Structures are given as C-alpha cells and as structure tokens.
Amino acid sequence: MENSDLARFFTEIADLLEIKGADNFRIRSYRNAALSIEGHPESLRGLFESGGEKALTGIHGIGESIRAKVIEAITTGSCGYLEELKKELPAGVLDLLRVSGVGPKKAGLFFKELGIKGIDDLEAAAMAGLLKTLHGMGPVTEARILKSIQTIRTSTGKFKLSVAMQYADAFVTYLKRVPGVERVEPVGSLRRWKETVGDIDLLVISDDHLPVTSAFVAHPDVREVLAKGETRSSVILKTGLQVDIRVMEEKNFGAAFIYFTGSKAHNVELRERARRMGLKVNEYGVFDSDEKLVAGASEEDLYRALGLPLIIPELREGRGEIEAAVAGRLPRVVETSDIKGDLHVHTNESDGGDSLSEMAEAAIKLGYEYIAVTDHSKAVGVAHGLDEKRVVAQICAIEAYNERLKRRGVGFTVLKGAEVDIRADGTLDHPDSVLERLDCIVAAVHSGFQMKRDVMTGRIVKALETGRVNILAHPTGRLINERDGYEVDIEAVMEAAKKTGTALELNSYPDRLDLNDIHCLMAREKGILVAISTDAHSVSHYGNIRFGIHTAARGWLERKDVLNARPIKKLMEILKKG
DNA sequence: GCCGTTTTCGGCCCGACTGTTTTCAGTCG
C-alpha cells in the first residue's frame, strides 16, 4: 500500500461519487487528497508505521475523515467506504470514463437507463442505436463514442517524453512557417519534463487565429479533428497521439504560458491564492476586482503580481512549490552547467558501441572533468560482460590513457569502474581483489526480476552492505511503458544507501529515468546523494543527460544533492568513502 | 470533505468547445 495505491483509492472514490451525482466539493476533496498523496515525498505507510496517526496530520488536503480512510487502507489493505460505493456501481462503469466524450454524468445515465456496465456494453448499445434515444444524446454523440472506443482499443496510451518531443518539434517547425505566427512553444507536461505525456500541447502566439487553425488541422499526419475553435483546436495523429493548440495574442503570453504549462494542481493553487488576494487569474492575465488587467505579458509578471518569484516548470506539480516560494525556500535546482562528469559509461569492451578513447574524447568536448568507464561484469553474458582478467586489462588501458592525457596537458580523468552485477544471493560479480583496484563501483540488478519483494530488498541491501558499492544503478529496474520495476522496498534500500554512504543513480536513459522524480524527492529528504548518469552505450547517448537533469529538477534536487556535480577532487574523496 | 490575511462556518478555480438545446449542460484541459 504505497502512496500511488492510496492515491488511486481516492481517485476511484471521487469518480464513483461523481457518477452517483454527489456534492461537487466533496468530490473535489477526494481528488485533492489523491493529488496530495501521490506527490508526497514520504511514504504515508512509512510515516504511519513509525509515527502513528500523528505523523499523518498536517498533510494538505487530508483532514480527519480521509486520514481515517488512509489508515484503514494501510492497515487492512482496503477501504470499506470504497467497497460500499462499488456495490452500488460495478467497477466496469469507471472504465466508461476512459471513453473520450463520456464523463460522470453520461456514465451514470448509461448505467441507470441501459444497465451498461463497461466499455463492451457501451459499444454494443451504441451499435444498436440505443444511446441516441436517451435525453440529451443524439446521433453525433453516439458516433463519437463509437469512434473513441476504437481509439482506446488501438491506442498505446501514454507516450514516452523523448518520443513525444520529436513529434512536438516537428509541429513547432510546421506552425512557425504559418504567416502571422510570432512564436510556438511546447507547453503542458512536455514543458514540465514529465516522463510520459498523454498529449502534446502547443501555445501559438499570433494575432490571427484562422490561418493557424486551418494549417493545424490540415497537417498531413492528422487522422481526426476533435475540436476546432477560435482559440483552441485539437487533433489526433495517425500514431494515436493527441495534439492540442491554443492560439493567443502576445499581450497574454505570460498568463497563457503559465496556464497551459500547468500542472492543473499548480494552476488551481495559483488561482486560489489570487482569490485570497482579491484578484482573479485566468489564461489571459491577472485581473483586479474591477476586471482591470494587472499582469499577463510574461511569466515573471504574473508570479510577481501574486507575490511570488518565478517558479520553473519542472516544479509546478502542486507538491508544495507555492508554499516554498512564499517562504523563500524554493530549491535552486541542478542545471546542465553543474554537471562535471558522467559516472556510468560503457565501451565496446562490453555492450557499448564506441571505444574508451572515443567515449573520453567526446566527454572532453562536452567540457566534463571526468567519466567513469563502467562496463558490465561477466554475469551479464548478453552484454559481453568482462571477467577478472579483462577488467584488469581494462584498468591498465585506462591508466595508460590517463597518462597520455596528462602528457597532452588535458585536465580530464577516466575513472576505473565497473557496472558490477548484483547476483541473486546479493554478492557482487567481481572478487574483492578486482574491486579494490577500481575507483567507482556501480552495482545493479540485471536478472531474477520476479523475486518476492522482501527477497529482492534483502538482495540489494546485502550488496550495499559490502561497503564496496559507490552507486546503485537504475535502482528499480523499470522500463517506461515496457515493464514495471521489480518489487522492492525502496525506502529500505534508501536507508541502506544512507548508512553505507552509497549514492543512488538517476539513470538518464529516456526509457528508464530511474530513480524517478518522486524517488528523487525521497532521496533529497533523506540526504542521499544522487548520481545523474547516462548509462551511455555510445557517444551519442551523452545527450540524454538532459532527461536526467530535468527529472532531478522535478525531484527538487540541487547541486549539493548531486554526486557528479562535484569536481574531481571532491568526487574522489566521496568515492573512497571517507 | 477540507480549510482559514474573509471565515471554526460558509465558502470552495476558470474558460473554451460541442451537441443538443432554444439558453445550456457536459466534458475537457
């Protein structure tokens, strides 16, 4: 029962209440609670187990009633109130909300009038022409629902950030060529660097919306036009990805930029704050009680009008950033220029594509001070992992290479490292005699993903307790949109990392981003160093560091929290573990 | 159901688009 599970509980309660037609403010409370819990940096289960009910007070959006339900869910694994609601409305009714154009009101109507209990029922009813007989429904809506069901059946769901960015870039270029367009900016979760995005949002600045809208819906990749209005249009591409544009004028740019960047939770908090100050915020600007425009041209203006400093997009998730801004406690998050090197790099000795010198030269060009060459160990056979003999040979090659750099007068160091496999029993895949000769030991799980949670946790903790490991790589093993991470008690792993002076990796590979943003928040709270690494398998992968850096920013990490933001001397001290 | 620079009670974020309506409810972001 982790935070994400609890959040899902309350979202389900809110959805069910909405279908039932309950009080809107009560529904909102459950949604707020879900948002608050999902973004909470500490595990509520962990808090409760160590500090009891008292440890759960003071969390925004969680009052007496919801706190009781949280505790019930933590201790029993279920929630009586949710079960009661589910008795009234079958679980499949919730699925109806996934159909675009179907909200709680229609879902409730369909269930009540036609006994529709799921998407299959809905499809059958639409095909039979039953939906259009209901009040407020017509043939257009019925056809649209059928189409949405098709979309759901064929869609792949959320897109990885790196993939969505490519589509977004193409649209930005396309729209910039439309006459009258002054600028085009990706907004939404893309601008916040969320690891997956459901759709692409673009803000277009132009005084004339007509040519923009016409060009947009006429794009050759468009499969379907969902909406086409004066300021907002929406399409679905042949790939299944949805793209929304908002056309605004320059004078509203700042307000629109903030509004469409979101997140929704952040916007709601901004508007609530404005209300308390006697102001109103919408996508056009900040207005006083006489409806007079107070600010709106730039993001800085708008935040300033609300008595706040600029909050960067990565922090706009409704995770306490506004409170922090008021208190002057906003983090100065880690930036590209802070990164001094890369501590997880492969060469063609294992499964990389480029040689030691090629990887090093490319890193020098990036302005780095160091890289750690961390090829796989022998257990990872598919990756042509190195045995002891080959590691020793590589150590010699690196020493010789460093000598050559020194003679050339280049201030750059290749660290002798390894990505050592953590075997099923928690032992490391290189003998101590080899490990002793390495500067940077990165350890990782590469097999046995199906282990039970406590076994996996014990396996990793045992590896860390050898005292040999400098960095635990891709700590959860997840691959975005492909496989969940292995079952592991990440808090216990973090405690072990803290105790043994081990850093945790934020693997920047766009398929991994592991640690994720929430885990970064947890690491920050616990005072554990994070290594933002690329796991580069060729020189072209170094660029992926940006995904890691922005994910770290989403996790509020500052320069001081990042191991490879340390210059070489300081880094070596830490790697030697005191 | 939550919360407090307007409040322990009485409020609770804002606007665009669509389809089915004769003035607006529902959905979406």
Side-chain angles (χ1 to χ4, degrees):
Chain A
M1 190 57 58
E2 292 309 319
N3 289 359
S4 54
D5 305 307
L6 290 166
R8 203 176 52 240
F9 262 51
F10 293 116
T11 301
E12 277 189 20
I13 290 177
D15 285 341
L16 288 165
L17 284 175
E18 207 165 0
I19 294 170
K20 262 185 71 178
D23 174 59
N24 275 322
F25 297 116
R26 235 178 103 215
I27 295 164
R28 188 187 296 171
S29 294
Y30 282 109
R31 293 210 190 282
N32 285 342
L35 277 174
S36 173
I37 291 170
E38 193 166 28
H40 200 78
E42 291 159 294
S43 156
L44 267 57
R45 177 189 54 79
L47 282 174
F48 178 70
E49 282 168 3
S50 59
E53 180 167 1
K54 206 164 169 213
L56 296 179
T57 55
I59 300 174
H60 196 84
I62 300 182
E64 210 179 315
S65 161
I66 291 185
R67 185 162 50 248
K69 293 181 178 76
V70 167
I71 292 169
E72 185 192 351
I74 288 171
T75 50
T76 71
S78 72
C79 169
Y81 183 57
L82 177 60
E83 296 309 316
E84 283 302 311
L85 287 170
K86 277 185 174 167
K87 269 184 208 154
E88 291 176 50
L89 289 163
V93 177
L94 283 179
D95 286 340
L96 299 180
L97 301 178
R98 288 170 48 215
V99 181
S100 157
V102 177
K105 292 288 186 295
K106 289 202 179 104
L109 183 74
F110 295 155
F111 174 65
K112 223 166 76 192
E113 297 293 325
L114 300 171
I116 289 171
K117 294 194 202 62
I119 290 182
D120 290 343
D121 289 355
L122 182 64
E123 188 174 31
M127 300 241 253
L130 292 172
L131 300 185
K132 61 174 176 278
T133 64
L134 298 175
H135 181 74
M137 300 285 301
V140 179
T141 307
E142 190 172 73
R144 191 175 165 199
I145 284 173
L146 266 179
K147 216 167 181 181
S148 315
I149 292 174
Q150 284 309 313
T151 306
I152 289 177
R153 294 250 157 89
T154 56
S155 106
T156 46
K158 293 227 169 201
F159 284 71
K160 273 184 290 231
L161 176 65
S162 54
V163 175
M165 273 183 173
Q166 293 169 21
Y167 288 107
D169 285 346
F171 263 89
V172 169
T173 308
Y174 174 78
L175 289 170
K176 272 185 177 164
R177 283 202 290 262
V178 176
V181 169
E182 286 165 49
R183 61 194 291 188
V184 184
E185 298 285 347
V187 285
S189 45
L190 198 75
R191 184 168 177 238
R192 304 199 311 278
W193 292 79
K194 226 176 154 213
E195 62 191 34
T196 59
V197 302
D199 55 21
I200 291 173
D201 298 301
L202 300 173
L203 173 60
V204 182
I205 298 301
S206 173
D207 288 338
D208 188 3
H209 71 86
L210 220 73
V212 180
T213 308
S214 309
F216 177 59
V217 298
H219 189 283
D221 287 347
V222 170
R223 182 176 76 196
E224 189 187 342
V225 178
L226 295 176
K228 188 181 167 203
E230 281 192 17
T231 73
R232 209 190 85 200
S233 296
S234 189
V235 300
I236 293 191
L237 304 184
K238 287 167 187 159
T239 55
L241 186 61
Q242 182 173 330
V243 185
D244 299 341
I245 61 163
R246 297 294 299 241
V247 188
M248 303 288 279
E249 291 177 30
E250 183 70 44
K251 65 173 190 279
N252 309 111
F253 176 73
F257 211 21
I258 288 178
Y259 184 86
F260 298 121
T261 297
S263 67
K264 194 171 172 176
H266 180 79
N267 286 347
V268 168
E269 277 190 53
L270 281 184
R271 276 172 264 157
E272 280 168 352
R273 179 176 174 80
R275 273 190 58 85
R276 288 198 298 274
M277 298 171 75
L279 301 167
K280 183 180 78 171
V281 174
N282 59 26
E283 58 263 57
Y284 298 98
V286 182
F287 298 85
D288 63 16
S289 51
D290 300 326
E291 290 288 315
K292 199 173 133 262
L293 183 70
V294 179
S298 76
E299 290 194 316
E300 286 87 346
D301 283 353
L302 193 139
Y303 281 113
R304 196 181 308 121
L306 299 178
L308 300 168
L310 179 79
I311 300 172
I312 61 164
E314 293 92 324
L315 296 176
R316 301 181 196 168
E317 294 291 342
R319 293 175 185 161
E321 66 276 9
I322 292 175
E323 211 181 327
V326 171
R329 284 188 289 101
L330 270 184
R332 282 179 51 186
V333 302
V334 60
E335 294 174 6
T336 308
S337 58
D338 295 326
I339 301 296
K340 302 281 186 259
D342 198 326
L343 296 174
H344 188 165
V345 170
H346 293 273
T347 73
N348 54 10
E349 278 296 312
S350 64
D351 58 347
D354 294 319
S355 67
L356 161 62
S357 64
E358 285 165 331
M359 293 307 287
E361 294 295 336
I364 293 169
K365 281 206 187 91
L366 288 172
Y368 285 170
E369 290 183 23
Y370 51 82
I371 57 170
V373 166
T374 53
D375 276 315
H376 287 286
S377 60
K378 59 188 178 299
V380 189
V382 287
H384 197 46
L386 280 62
D387 59 17
E388 289 88 59
K389 210 172 137 199
R390 290 176 61 213
V391 177
V392 171
Q394 190 180 51
I395 288 172
C396 295
I398 291 172
E399 284 172 347
Y401 184 78
N402 279 334
E403 276 305 311
R404 286 206 296 281
L405 285 179
K406 213 182 225 170
R407 281 201 297 274
R408 276 165 54 196
V410 181
F412 183 87
T413 310
V414 180
L415 302 186
K416 293 160 280 182
E419 181 177 4
V420 187
D421 186 60
I422 299 174
R423 298 189 192 115
D425 62 359
T427 58
L428 299 175
D429 193 34
H430 280 317
D432 280 351
S433 58
V434 167
L435 297 177
E436 276 164 7
R437 298 184 60 180
L438 297 173
D439 303 313
C440 182
I441 295 164
V442 176
V445 167
H446 295 97
S447 60
F449 280 46
Q450 304 310 319
M451 279 182 172
K452 287 223 170 358
R453 179 183 162 100
D454 55 338
V455 181
M456 182 61 90
T457 306
R459 171 186 183 184
I460 295 173
V461 168
K462 183 177 168 189
L464 301 192
E465 284 178 345
T466 61
R468 295 278 184 196
V469 180
N470 297 115
I471 300 167
L472 176 64
H474 37 79
T476 76
R478 64 108 174 235
L479 290 176
I480 297 172
N481 284 358
E482 282 169 50
R483 84 175 172 223
D484 289 338
Y486 34 75
E487 295 284 329
V488 67
D489 181 348
I490 193 75
E491 288 217 286
V493 169
M494 286 195 182
E495 290 303 330
K498 170 100 183 153
K499 208 171 73 187
T500 58
T502 311
L504 298 180
E505 180 180 86
L506 193 179
N507 190 297
S508 305
Y509 211 77
D511 299 58
R512 289 191 182 270
L513 296 178
D514 176 13
L515 304 176
N516 66 21
D517 50 358
I518 300 276
H519 293 144
C520 287
L521 277 166
M522 289 169 69
R524 177 182 190 263
E525 293 279 321
K526 291 181 191 295
I528 298 165
L529 283 175
V530 172
I532 305 176
S533 305
T534 61
D535 200 352
H537 282 70
S538 73
V539 296
S540 64
H541 287 167
Y542 279 137
N544 285 335
I545 194 87
R546 67 186 189 281
F547 293 104
I549 291 169
H550 289 282
T551 299
R554 290 175 56 80
W556 296 44
L557 295 190
E558 303 183 76
R559 185 168 60 186
K560 67 172 173 52
D561 302 314
V562 177
L563 177 61
N564 51 318
R566 303 285 198 283
I568 182 78
K569 197 162 161 249
K570 188 75 194 151
L571 172 78
M572 294 307 283
E573 284 170 23
I574 295 173
L575 293 180
K576 288 200 178 98
K577 297 206 173 194

Coordinates of all heavy atoms in Angstrom, one line a residue, chain A residues 99-128:
Chain A
V99 N -13.6 6.7 -22.0 CA -14.0 7.0 -23.4 C -14.2 8.5 -23.5 O -14.9 9.1 -22.7 CB -15.4 6.3 -23.6 CG1 -15.9 6.7 -25.0 CG2 -15.3 4.8 -23.4
S100 N -13.5 9.1 -24.5 CA -13.5 10.5 -24.7 C -14.9 10.9 -25.0 O -15.6 10.4 -25.9 CB -12.5 10.9 -25.8 OG -12.8 12.1 -26.3
G101 N -15.4 12.0 -24.3 CA -16.8 12.4 -24.5 C -17.7 11.9 -23.5 O -18.9 12.3 -23.4
V102 N -17.3 10.9 -22.8 CA -18.1 10.3 -21.7 C -17.5 10.8 -20.3 O -16.4 10.5 -20.0 CB -18.1 8.8 -21.7 CG1 -19.0 8.2 -20.6 CG2 -18.7 8.3 -23.1
G103 N -18.3 11.5 -19.6 CA -17.9 11.9 -18.3 C -18.8 11.2 -17.3 O -19.5 10.3 -17.6
P104 N -18.7 11.7 -16.0 CA -19.5 11.0 -15.0 C -21.0 11.1 -15.2 O -21.7 10.1 -14.9 CB -19.1 11.8 -13.7 CG -18.4 13.0 -14.2 CD -17.8 12.7 -15.5
K105 N -21.5 12.2 -15.7 CA -22.9 12.3 -15.9 C -23.4 11.3 -16.9 O -24.4 10.6 -16.7 CB -23.3 13.7 -16.4 CG -23.1 14.8 -15.3 CD -24.1 14.7 -14.2 CE -24.0 15.8 -13.3 NZ -22.7 15.8 -12.5
K106 N -22.8 11.2 -18.1 CA -23.2 10.2 -19.1 C -23.0 8.8 -18.6 O -23.8 7.9 -18.9 CB -22.5 10.5 -20.4 CG -22.9 11.8 -21.1 CD -22.6 11.8 -22.6 CE -23.0 13.1 -23.2 NZ -21.9 14.0 -23.5
A107 N -21.9 8.5 -17.9 CA -21.6 7.2 -17.5 C -22.8 6.8 -16.5 O -23.3 5.6 -16.6 CB -20.3 7.1 -16.7
G108 N -23.2 7.7 -15.6 CA -24.2 7.4 -14.7 C -25.6 7.1 -15.4 O -26.3 6.2 -15.1
L109 N -25.8 8.0 -16.4 CA -27.0 7.9 -17.3 C -27.1 6.5 -18.0 O -28.1 5.8 -17.9 CB -27.0 9.0 -18.3 CG -28.3 9.1 -19.2 CD1 -29.5 9.6 -18.4 CD2 -28.0 10.0 -20.4
F110 N -25.9 6.1 -18.6 CA -25.9 4.9 -19.3 C -26.2 3.7 -18.4 O -26.9 2.7 -18.7 CB -24.5 4.7 -20.0 CG -24.2 5.7 -21.1 CD1 -22.9 6.0 -21.4 CD2 -25.3 6.3 -21.7 CE1 -22.6 6.9 -22.4 CE2 -25.0 7.3 -22.7 CZ -23.7 7.6 -23.0
F111 N -25.6 3.7 -17.2 CA -25.8 2.6 -16.3 C -27.2 2.5 -15.8 O -27.8 1.5 -15.8 CB -24.8 2.8 -15.1 CG -25.0 1.7 -14.0 CD1 -24.8 0.4 -14.2 CD2 -25.5 2.1 -12.7 CE1 -25.0 -0.6 -13.3 CE2 -25.7 1.2 -11.7 CZ -25.5 -0.2 -12.0
K112 N -27.7 3.7 -15.4 CA -29.1 3.8 -14.9 C -30.1 3.4 -15.9 O -31.0 2.6 -15.6 CB -29.4 5.2 -14.3 CG -30.0 5.1 -13.0 CD -30.0 6.5 -12.3 CE -31.0 7.4 -12.9 NZ -30.8 8.8 -12.4
E113 N -30.0 4.0 -17.1 CA -31.1 3.8 -18.1 C -30.9 2.5 -18.9 O -31.9 1.9 -19.3 CB -31.1 5.0 -19.1 CG -31.4 6.3 -18.4 CD -32.8 6.4 -17.9 OE1 -33.7 5.8 -18.5 OE2 -33.0 7.0 -16.8
L114 N -29.7 2.1 -19.2 CA -29.5 1.0 -20.1 C -28.7 -0.2 -19.4 O -28.5 -1.2 -20.1 CB -28.7 1.4 -21.3 CG -29.4 2.5 -22.2 CD1 -28.4 3.0 -23.3 CD2 -30.7 2.0 -22.8
G115 N -28.4 0.0 -18.2 CA -27.7 -1.1 -17.5 C -26.3 -1.4 -18.0 O -25.7 -2.5 -17.9
I116 N -25.7 -0.3 -18.6 CA -24.3 -0.5 -19.2 C -23.3 -0.6 -18.1 O -23.2 0.3 -17.3 CB -24.1 0.7 -20.2 CG1 -24.9 0.5 -21.4 CG2 -22.6 0.7 -20.6 CD1 -24.9 1.7 -22.3
K117 N -22.5 -1.7 -18.1 CA -21.6 -1.9 -17.0 C -20.1 -1.9 -17.5 O -19.2 -2.3 -16.7 CB -21.8 -3.3 -16.4 CG -23.2 -3.4 -15.7 CD -23.2 -4.7 -14.8 CE -24.6 -5.2 -14.5 NZ -25.3 -5.6 -15.7
G118 N -19.8 -1.5 -18.7 CA -18.5 -1.5 -19.2 C -18.4 -1.0 -20.6 O -19.4 -0.8 -21.2
I119 N -17.1 -1.0 -21.1 CA -16.9 -0.5 -22.4 C -17.5 -1.4 -23.5 O -18.1 -0.9 -24.5 CB -15.4 -0.3 -22.7 CG1 -14.9 0.9 -21.8 CG2 -15.1 0.0 -24.2 CD1 -13.5 1.3 -22.0
D120 N -17.5 -2.7 -23.3 CA -18.1 -3.6 -24.2 C -19.6 -3.4 -24.3 O -20.2 -3.4 -25.4 CB -17.8 -5.1 -23.8 CG -16.4 -5.5 -24.0 OD1 -15.7 -4.7 -24.7 OD2 -16.0 -6.5 -23.4
D121 N -20.3 -3.2 -23.2 CA -21.7 -2.9 -23.2 C -22.0 -1.7 -23.9 O -23.0 -1.6 -24.7 CB -22.2 -2.7 -21.7 CG -22.2 -4.1 -20.9 OD1 -22.0 -5.1 -21.5 OD2 -22.5 -4.0 -19.7
L122 N -21.1 -0.7 -23.7 CA -21.4 0.6 -24.3 C -21.3 0.5 -25.8 O -22.1 1.1 -26.5 CB -20.3 1.6 -23.8 CG -20.4 3.1 -24.3 CD1 -21.7 3.7 -23.8 CD2 -19.3 3.9 -23.8
E123 N -20.3 -0.2 -26.3 CA -20.1 -0.4 -27.7 C -21.3 -1.1 -28.3 O -21.8 -0.6 -29.4 CB -18.8 -1.2 -28.0 CG -18.5 -1.3 -29.4 CD -17.1 -2.0 -29.7 OE1 -16.8 -2.9 -28.9 OE2 -16.5 -1.6 -30.6
A124 N -21.8 -2.1 -27.6 CA -23.0 -2.8 -28.2 C -24.2 -1.9 -28.2 O -24.9 -1.9 -29.2 CB -23.2 -4.1 -27.3
A125 N -24.4 -1.1 -27.2 CA -25.5 -0.2 -27.1 C -25.5 0.8 -28.2 O -26.5 1.2 -28.9 CB -25.6 0.4 -25.8
A126 N -24.2 1.3 -28.5 CA -24.1 2.4 -29.5 C -24.3 1.8 -30.9 O -25.0 2.4 -31.7 CB -22.6 2.9 -29.4
M127 N -23.9 0.5 -31.1 CA -24.1 -0.1 -32.4 C -25.6 -0.4 -32.6 O -26.0 -0.3 -33.8 CB -23.3 -1.4 -32.4 CG -21.8 -1.2 -32.2 SD -20.9 -1.8 -33.6 CE -20.1 -3.3 -32.9
A128 N -26.3 -0.7 -31.5 CA -27.7 -0.9 -31.7 C -28.5 0.3 -31.7 O -29.7 0.3 -31.9 CB -28.2 -1.8 -30.5

